[in-house]
Amino acid sequence: MAENEFRRAAFIFNSAPGDIPGQNATAARPAKRRKLAKSDVPRPQDGSAIESAFPPLFNGAESPEAVKLRKELFDTAWPVLEGRIQHVLRDANQTTLDEVTAFLQQAAGEDTGKITAGFIITGPNIASQDLLFEQLAERVCAATQARFVRLRASEAPNLKAALKKIIRDATAKGVDQEEEEGGVELTQGGRKYLDYDLESLHVFLNQQQQARRVVVAFQDSEAFESGLLTDLITLFHSWRGRIHFDVLFGVATSVELFQARLLKSTARQLHGAQFDVVQANSVLESVVKSAVAGSHAALRIGPSLLRSLVERQQEQVAGIQAFISSLKYAYMCHFYANPLSVLLAGDGRLDREALQPEHIEAVRTLESFKTQAEAAIEARQLNHAQSLIEDDDYLVTQVLEQGQKRQEYLQQLLRSLHLVLSTGLSPTPFTELYTLALSSGISIDQASGTIPLEDAVKRLGPEEFSSLIGRLLGAVQYGSPELGLEGWETDAEELAGSLTDLRDEVEGLIERSKANGTALKSKYSAQSRVMRTTVVAQKVQLSQDTATLTEEDKAFTQAVDALLALLSQALHCDPVDNFFLHEAWVFDFKSPYRDVFVPRPGATFGRALSRPHDYLACACCAKANGGMASTLPTTAILYHLYLERGALINVADLWSAYYALVGDESDVGLDERSALACFYRGLAELRMMGFVKQSKKKADHIAKLKWL
Amino acid sequence: MARRKATTEASVSHGAISDDEVEEGAIAREIYESSEDDEVEVDGQADQEEGQEPATPSKTPGRKRRIAARKKSPTPPRDLPPHEQYFYQNKPGLTKTSNNTLSSLDLLTHDEYFSILRQLKDPHAPDVKFLESLHAESFPQWAFELSQGFSTCLYGYGSKRRLLHNFATHLSSQSPDRKIAIINGYVRTLTTRDILTTLTSALPAPLSSTSGGGSANPSATPQAFLAHLSSTNTPLTVLINSIDAPPLRKPALQSLLSHLAAHPQVRLACTADSPDFPLLWDAGLRASFNFLFHDCTTFAPFAACELEVVDEVHELLGRKARRVGGKEGVAFVLRSLPENARALFRLLVGEVLVAMEEQGDNSSGGEEVAVEYRMVYNKAVEEFICSSEMAFRTLLKEFHDHQIITSHKDSIGTELLSLPFRKEELESILEELVS
């Protein structure tokens, strides 16, 4: 019965209770361990198995409440973020959409005798184009009452297929609205139109009594054959009187290159404009700002993971979608496999009862707990350290306090970053600043700091000085909606007050020096004019000129120093690793991400075949250790032999080598026919995996296909 | 970094050696053989070092071998980086294989293969079972990933059909109402239509089934199916065995599957059997699949339905005998056919042999040698084998059904017939037919 199903091409699965593989699975399940970090044994919950409920951790000892809490936390944390990301992505395309729609609307009014063409420079990633064209379809349909058809090169290999697709898509949307007309519109006078005849589209559009406009979007125009494009454009042009065609091209490279592929006569039929899409980098930046760094993100992506995610964006053309998926996966991993993720729950939902002895035990094994305890001992707070280690209740209060401290830390981090950004003095992009701040903290000290702003601040001129203070005050007052940061004027009255004082003072100084007729400068900015070269009696004299600073200059210097002191106080933050219990809300593991998103199947297959022991853990193959042994599975033996051969492999020799290893006289002792059956199977598997193919160079030879 | 430098140095020096190697192949071979044992040991040590971090099986065996390069033994082929090895092994004139053939060996037939297989006991069976149970541990995790809008792709050596089946059982025990469709990519006759019909049968019948003509049938086109799916609100789980099997490699099918995967009601999990499976998808497809990959090396043997071992091997060896099983099979088939069919086949074999003679000695098989359909028909009429083209077609159809002839059209549209046998086989078939 089951065997029959496997021979069928496709079928609907229904599991009979007596199904043998099913029984095996349930019988085999409870005994084993899971692969993910600390998690163990997902015990099936009796009866009430809720779909996609998390399995309990701590060897199954985790209480159902805690499991539920983790699930709830995930269910609330991620959708918030996803919504924000979608918002950012949609916003990013907004200007392009507006421009394109306006262009199409304007073109509808004029009659140029040409086809209106929009060239949208999308950049090289075809994965992110989908969203853009989807939005375009929505907008254009709504704004211009036109039919919108999206064409991709793979769907339209030739003229006929392209026309079929255009006609089908343009008419299909009408069927949705008025199903009754579905069958009628394709025939007229008893004659049925061929499905690539534009006449049928014409008739259809006439029936619909709408504007007879069709917008055709070529999503990946580079992938279309230029002959096909030329044909289509010519055809559209000749139908112009009856159907109003507009075309949009998604261009990955440049319009010039695209134009070079078209015939001049075809290009002359187009009347176009170029539109730029926001570059992937800046989209990434804003996604990071709002979804990763922003205060709405419940879970922090650790610096090393974030760095590798961003690197992947820049080095491989992975697309922003891949980045978002990776983010989501990090959230999933954290709440699914880390029992301490319950500590992220807000006040009220987490109390003493919710924490089991296992949780406390887990906290004590954390790296940050050790650091904390050691720090306490260093600081001679022995009582504190002892209670941490011995007193569960004390530890729990400490743990519960951390929630508040985490909020404060994050606030401080984001405020500092926002201030750094608003100074406009740091050339580093935000993502880098953020990872830097997480991994090594923030300090603006010139020599040792992570964000060395000191020199830049010192070199400020008086006008820049006051505008800088203006920007800082603005930042404090309004916060940053992108980062989810509200203004914090009330918290920073002191800072704001001193900044305002400084600004008033400097403005006064500027006034005064203007009245004196001198330019205001500080000790630091004046230094550039210290060296004087004078030519005296055909000799060059270098003279050290201690710049004479006026009273105002000195006052300005003092103001600069004061600002610097204020800034280094305000822009300060510890690295996240120093934070007690950061493991509960920072996810910084690269390995599941890399295994799951960037697999290395070649290496995996190679390892399985060359070192089967790694997977099977069998006693017989332990000795082989990556080498050859007669006990290995057949395909593994053949793989070893295969690696030793050249580009052309004689099957007869391969067989005799194999038979010598496993045949009658060896330890394995297979008889010839059995060995041959195994050999057949191994060879067939090698072929299926694409290692070898038939060769016609010599009789009974096969060709090698893989050198990796 | 240091190691990499060392290997480049090593490979440079090997390059210098390798020119001599072409002439002194035999000597080098001897040395190579004698040093092989040592090298395996070195490999072993290197591997042990790597083996301490089992979480990252990142080094390919090819790379591990490079460590041995420090010895500078005169055996370049083993120590070269993969690309160098490719060029080395593909040097013209370097194919030094013996002239042995398998002619002395009696090849296996289907029956013999299966009867031997039933008696063979795999010593690794318990280990394979244990490995499978380890993978089964991840079922809740995969189910969670599917529920979050990801698709999972299980790859690695060995058959994953049972694993996926067990996963299906697990899924249906979690939520019995969910429809699960299983698609077997390894079935050679799989078509888009099969997939769509099966998936459609999982959905409730369309409400407005009366209104539609041909186009409203949801299984007719992928678009129609997806529209139908959206209208029903039924969640659907699709499990695909061997997504990289030949029948599923067509771009159209992959893009259909990716559309399916991108649909919010559909959860998709698949298995892949070959190491090159990521080449199936470009960035766009990959984004809409939204894959998570899991290493699921099972070492489980492939079942007869997944891999037709005997056929595969014989095809590999250039002995095309799919289904009928060589000349015995042909004789068997012909015995069950009427006299004039036998006569026609005799005629055909004779013509093909004549054509082979004319083309000169091309021992690679009869597939390339073809005779013109029209010519064969005329001869058949002359010899009173058949009287009309209709009858002739009927006879040929019988041959086609048993896959003992193949036909195709050449570039100018002439229909050609050929026989999928080697010259020797054809000769013996002819002998049998004449006697």
Side-chain angles (χ1 to χ4, degrees):
Chain A
M1 164 91 184
E3 197 56 34
N4 276 344
E5 288 191 332
F6 297 141
R7 288 197 179 276
R8 277 159 61 191
F11 60 95
I12 300 297
F13 178 84
N14 51 11
S15 66
D19 213 355
I20 301 159
Q23 269 187 347
N24 273 354
T26 37
R29 208 172 294 148
K32 301 145 281 160
R33 348 198 90 237
R34 287 175 33 75
K35 280 200 280 182
L36 264 173
K38 297 165 196 159
S39 47
D40 276 72
V41 187
R43 199 161 294 162
Q45 294 173 0
D46 5 15
S48 63
I50 316 145
E51 196 196 11
S52 72
F54 288 168
L57 303 175
F58 295 134
N59 276 326
E62 196 180 11
S63 67
E65 289 76 35
V67 177
K68 220 173 119 219
L69 187 55
R70 276 192 292 135
K71 173 95 171 110
E72 277 173 17
L73 282 175
F74 172 74
D75 285 345
T76 46
W78 176 252
V80 175
L81 220 54
E82 192 165 39
R84 289 185 69 85
I85 293 173
Q86 286 308 325
H87 188 70
V88 169
L89 290 183
R90 291 199 157 255
D91 272 2
N93 288 337
Q94 209 55 48
T95 33
T96 319
L97 293 179
D98 289 342
E99 282 171 19
V100 173
T101 328
F103 171 71
L104 287 178
Q105 266 167 337
Q106 182 205 346
E110 308 163 6
D111 187 24
T112 50
K114 293 181 175 183
I115 296 181
T116 316
F119 299 94
I120 306 173
I121 314 290
T122 56
N125 194 332
I126 55 166
S128 55
Q129 288 174 6
D130 259 353
L131 178 69
L132 174 70
F133 279 95
E134 200 178 293
Q135 283 177 283
L136 260 180
E138 281 170 23
R139 281 292 288 275
V140 170
C141 284
T144 62
Q145 293 280 308
R147 308 254 152 207
F148 195 91
V149 179
R150 293 158 65 183
L151 276 188
R152 242 177 293 176
S154 55
E155 296 166 341
N158 52 43
L159 188 61
K160 219 190 231 182
L163 286 175
K164 271 187 198 171
K165 167 113 175 91
I166 292 172
I167 293 169
R168 202 175 50 220
D169 285 10
T171 52
K173 283 166 199 159
V175 175
D176 272 353
Q177 292 156 7
E178 303 162 48
E179 279 186 29
E180 302 312 309
E181 275 182 68
V184 190
E185 104 271 345
L186 286 176
T187 53
Q188 199 183 42
R191 190 166 56 91
K192 203 173 179 193
Y193 291 110
L194 291 171
D195 51 2
Y196 48 89
D197 189 350
L198 282 179
E199 183 72 35
S200 69
L201 179 60
H202 176 55
V203 171
F204 171 80
L205 289 175
N206 271 350
Q207 281 177 356
Q208 293 290 310
Q209 295 172 345
Q210 288 175 1
R212 284 173 293 129
R213 290 186 69 185
V214 177
V215 180
V216 181
F218 298 84
Q219 283 191 218
D220 43 353
S221 60
E222 271 91 351
F224 283 88
E225 222 181 297
S226 39
L228 172 62
L229 281 181
T230 308
D231 287 349
L232 272 176
I233 292 168
T234 320
L235 197 66
F236 289 164
H237 193 252
S238 55
W239 274 84
R240 197 167 27 93
R242 284 160 289 179
I243 308 173
H244 187 108
F245 279 109
D246 296 320
V247 288
L248 294 175
F249 295 99
V251 182
T253 49
S254 73
V255 176
E256 287 74 25
L257 280 176
F258 179 73
Q259 195 187 346
R261 290 178 58 217
L262 293 178
L263 291 180
K264 275 211 177 111
S265 57
T266 315
R268 229 172 284 138
Q269 292 167 346
L270 296 176
H271 155 77
Q274 175 180 333
F275 306 96
D276 289 314
V277 174
V278 182
Q279 281 311 302
N281 264 348
S282 57
V283 175
L284 180 68
E285 191 96 312
S286 32
V287 169
V288 169
K289 261 190 193 170
S290 69
V292 181
S295 61
H296 293 272
L299 176 71
R300 295 285 130 181
I301 303 299
S304 66
L305 176 62
L306 183 59
R307 207 168 286 148
S308 74
L309 287 182
V310 171
E311 251 167 42
R312 180 160 178 238
Q313 288 293 304
Q314 286 159 353
E315 284 167 14
Q316 309 171 15
V317 192
I320 193 75
Q321 297 302 333
F323 181 78
I324 296 165
S325 296
S326 315
L327 268 190
K328 181 168 187 184
Y329 198 69
Y331 270 72
M332 286 162 59
C333 283
H334 187 73
F335 290 103
Y336 187 88
N338 189 346
L340 290 181
S341 53
V342 288
L343 298 183
L344 266 175
D347 325 298
R349 285 162 73 195
L350 185 75
D351 46 30
R352 179 71 185 85
E353 279 74 50
L355 292 178
Q356 299 169 259
E358 283 85 1
H359 281 120
I360 294 160
E361 198 55 46
V363 167
R364 292 223 170 92
T365 59
L366 292 179
E367 198 59 37
S368 67
F369 176 81
K370 274 189 218 161
T371 329
Q372 172 85 354
E374 278 164 15
I377 293 170
E378 296 262 310
R380 308 311 265 158
Q381 299 171 321
L382 294 180
N383 281 341
H384 176 59
Q386 196 177 9
S387 316
L388 275 183
I389 294 169
E390 284 168 3
D391 187 353
D392 283 358
D393 288 323
Y394 184 74
L395 182 60
V396 169
T397 42
Q398 289 282 314
V399 166
L400 294 179
E401 271 172 24
Q402 289 304 314
Q404 185 58 34
K405 287 195 185 162
R406 174 173 65 95
Q407 299 287 1
E408 283 164 14
Y409 169 79
L410 287 178
Q411 207 169 39
Q412 169 65 17
L413 173 78
L414 291 181
R415 284 176 181 176
S416 307
L417 279 176
H418 186 49
L419 285 180
V420 169
L421 280 189
S422 19
T423 58
L425 296 175
S426 170
T428 341
F430 176 79
T431 315
E432 221 167 295
L433 279 181
Y434 178 70
T435 38
L436 211 60
L438 279 186
S439 62
S440 359
I442 299 177
S443 151
I444 59 166
D445 188 46
Q446 190 64 33
S448 60
T450 45
I451 307 169
L453 291 178
E454 203 178 313
D455 277 359
V457 173
K458 281 181 182 170
R459 251 179 268 123
L460 286 175
E463 275 80 21
E464 293 163 324
F465 185 89
S466 59
S467 75
L468 170 70
I469 290 183
R471 286 201 299 275
L472 288 176
L473 284 174
V476 172
Q477 192 179 352
Y478 301 113
S480 160
E482 218 178 352
L483 286 171
L485 199 62
E486 287 171 8
W488 65 99
E489 242 182 337
T490 43
D491 291 354
E493 269 171 17
E494 204 179 320
L495 175 70
S498 336
L499 283 176
T500 327
D501 289 348
L502 275 178
R503 183 171 60 180
D504 293 346
E505 190 189 334
V506 170
E507 269 162 11
L509 287 174
I510 295 174
E511 289 295 313
R512 266 197 279 159
S513 51
K514 251 190 201 151
N516 292 349
T518 54
L520 187 63
K521 55 187 184 287
S522 73
K523 180 167 89 186
Y524 310 108
S525 56
Q527 267 170 1
S528 56
R529 284 175 243 148
V530 160
M531 283 304 205
R532 297 248 169 100
T533 45
T534 16
V535 182
V536 179
Q538 293 176 335
K539 277 182 189 166
V540 180
Q541 274 188 351
L542 283 175
S543 54
Q544 193 85 12
D545 190 36
T546 34
T548 46
L549 294 173
T550 59
E551 280 303 307
E552 288 82 24
D553 289 348
K554 279 179 192 147
F556 180 56
T557 311
Q558 268 171 14
V560 169
D561 285 337
L563 176 66
L564 206 56
L566 274 179
L567 281 182
S568 50
Q569 206 177 21
L571 305 183
H572 179 76
C573 181
D574 284 332
V576 71
D577 287 353
N578 293 356
F579 200 82
F580 178 44
L581 271 186
H582 69 85
E583 286 91 341
W585 51 273
V586 178
F587 184 85
D588 201 10
F589 301 100
K590 277 199 232 170
S591 71
Y593 155 72
R594 208 180 300 149
D595 292 347
V596 147
F597 284 99
V598 205
R600 302 162 47 98
T604 309
F605 278 82
R607 183 175 180 201
L609 290 175
S610 60
R611 309 171 55 83
H613 178 70
D614 289 4
Y615 285 95
L616 291 175
C618 50
C620 49
C621 306
K623 295 188 295 294
N625 206 358
M628 173 85 94
S630 54
T631 55
L632 297 183
T634 312
T635 316
I637 296 181
L638 290 185
Y639 180 73
H640 276 286
L641 294 171
Y642 165 86
L643 287 181
E644 290 167 7
R645 307 289 144 139
L648 210 56
I649 299 168
N650 184 337
V651 180
D653 289 348
L654 194 67
W655 157 242
S656 47
Y658 173 71
Y659 187 55
L661 259 174
V662 303
D664 285 326
E665 281 142 43
S666 72
D667 321 335
V668 184
L670 286 178
D671 63 277
E672 192 188 34
R673 301 313 281 178
S674 309
L676 189 61
C678 290
F679 181 73
Y680 262 55
R681 196 157 73 181
L683 205 56
E685 285 181 5
L686 281 185
R687 183 184 186 208
M688 186 186 69
M689 289 186 281
F691 284 102
V692 291
K693 67 165 187 183
Q694 189 190 352
S695 165
K696 289 187 175 164
K697 282 190 184 147
K698 268 170 124 178
D700 289 339
H701 273 60
I702 52 179
K704 199 172 186 174
L705 283 177
K706 277 202 185 304
W707 273 268
L708 279 170
Chain B
M1 196 60 211
R3 193 214 292 175
R4 181 162 297 171
K5 201 174 171 189
T7 40
T8 37
E9 272 172 28
S11 57
V12 166
S13 64
H14 289 318
I17 295 170
S18 62
D19 285 334
D20 304 343
E21 234 258 341
V22 179
E23 286 104 39
E24 304 173 352
I27 305 169
R29 181 106 202 131
E30 269 178 43
I31 303 171
Y32 163 63
E33 231 107 75
S34 67
S35 69
E36 191 180 335
D37 293 350
D38 315 0
E39 226 166 81
V40 169
E41 261 183 48
V42 174
D43 279 359
Q45 282 166 10
D47 288 343
Q48 232 170 8
E49 285 164 26
E50 313 254 31
Q52 284 172 355
E53 22 176 68
T56 53
S58 56
K59 308 277 162 144
T60 60
R63 270 209 203 155
K64 283 176 199 160
R65 287 235 155 63
R66 288 204 231 154
I67 299 170
R70 283 189 211 126
K71 283 175 56 179
K72 304 215 174 179
S73 63
T75 56
R78 281 185 62 106
D79 312 330
L80 297 174
H83 56 282
E84 291 292 345
Q85 202 168 12
Y86 170 80
F87 288 116
Y88 179 80
Q89 292 189 343
N90 280 293
K91 255 187 207 170
L94 203 82
T95 47
K96 297 170 297 177
T97 53
S98 71
N99 288 325
N100 299 340
T101 62
L102 288 171
S103 53
S104 61
L105 192 71
D106 203 8
L107 294 179
L108 288 173
T109 61
H110 279 270
D111 291 344
E112 194 184 358
Y113 172 74
F114 285 115
S115 64
I116 292 176
L117 206 63
R118 263 191 290 277
Q119 285 157 20
L120 267 183
K121 253 188 70 189
D122 184 6
H124 288 110
D127 307 315
V128 168
K129 202 155 198 157
F130 178 68
L131 192 60
E132 201 177 296
S133 67
L134 281 184
H135 291 312
E137 286 288 312
S138 309
F139 285 167
Q141 184 195 333
W142 297 344
F144 174 52
E145 287 166 1
L146 288 184
S147 73
Q148 291 302 318
F150 287 98
S151 305
T152 53
C153 176
L154 316 175
Y155 66 96
Y157 168 67
S159 164
K160 290 162 286 294
R161 190 203 57 189
R162 276 181 61 99
L163 188 69
L164 201 68
H165 190 85
N166 292 346
F167 183 45
T169 318
H170 170 84
L171 284 179
S172 71
S173 75
Q174 293 280 303
S175 51
D177 313 331
R178 239 189 135 73
K179 293 280 189 184
I180 300 176
I182 296 187
I183 298 169
N184 289 327
Y186 49 77
V187 175
R188 281 176 181 269
T189 52
L190 181 69
T191 59
T192 316
R193 177 162 283 275
D194 289 338
I195 296 175
L196 288 177
T197 340
T198 309
L199 293 182
T200 312
S201 72
L203 303 178
L207 292 172
S208 57
S209 56
T210 46
S211 74
S215 64
N217 180 9
S219 63
T221 63
Q223 288 79 8
F225 172 75
L226 287 174
H228 176 45
L229 179 62
S230 319
S231 68
T232 59
N233 250 333
T234 318
L236 190 63
T237 305
V238 182
L239 305 180
I240 305 170
N241 275 306
S242 313
I243 199 169
D244 54 347
L248 283 180
R249 282 184 201 162
K250 290 168 217 136
L253 259 172
Q254 289 294 337
S255 85
L256 161 66
L257 293 179
S258 78
H259 284 307
L260 266 181
H263 196 281
Q265 282 159 249
V266 176
R267 301 176 181 179
L268 184 138
C270 64
T271 64
D273 295 330
S274 74
D276 301 317
F277 69 88
L279 301 178
L280 280 173
W281 310 302
D282 62 17
L285 284 184
R286 181 103 167 234
S288 53
F289 270 119
N290 203 6
F291 269 130
L292 298 176
F293 299 91
H294 294 288
D295 175 0
C296 282
T297 304
T298 60
F299 277 92
F302 288 92
C305 53
E306 288 176 274
L307 183 65
E308 288 160 343
V309 169
V310 177
D311 286 338
E312 288 275 323
V313 172
H314 287 171
E315 225 169 77
L316 197 55
L317 297 176
R319 291 166 171 76
K320 291 242 175 150
R322 196 158 274 282
R323 288 278 145 250
V324 280
K327 66 180 166 55
E328 291 84 8
V330 176
F332 183 77
V333 168
L334 289 179
R335 238 176 284 143
S336 66
L337 292 180
E339 178 59 37
N340 56 347
R342 276 206 290 277
L344 176 61
F345 200 72
R346 192 183 61 224
L347 176 79
L348 205 55
V349 173
E351 290 300 326
V352 170
L353 279 173
V354 170
M356 274 184 182
E357 286 296 319
E358 280 168 6
Q359 283 199 5
D361 191 55
N362 187 349
S363 62
S364 55
E367 190 79 346
E368 294 81 22
V369 183
V371 289
E372 241 175 81
Y373 167 83
R374 190 52 46 192
M375 190 266 289
V376 178
Y377 172 64
N378 288 338
K379 290 221 169 165
V381 173
E382 274 171 32
E383 296 193 16
F384 301 111
I385 294 171
C386 54
S387 52
S388 68
E389 182 156 3
M390 183 75 158
F392 182 66
R393 281 265 176 214
T394 319
L395 289 175
L396 284 188
K397 171 130 194 336
E398 195 77 40
F399 296 154
H400 268 298
D401 288 348
H402 292 96
Q403 298 175 348
I404 54 178
I405 64 168
T406 55
S407 69
H408 59 275
K409 286 192 174 151
D410 69 3
S411 49
I412 52 166
T414 330
E415 193 173 351
L416 298 171
L417 300 171
S418 54
L419 301 173
F421 302 103
R422 306 206 299 175
K423 194 180 169 193
E424 302 84 60
E425 285 172 321
L426 286 177
E427 278 165 353
S428 67
I429 292 173
L430 189 61
E431 265 169 40
E432 221 162 275
L433 283 170
V434 173
S435 65

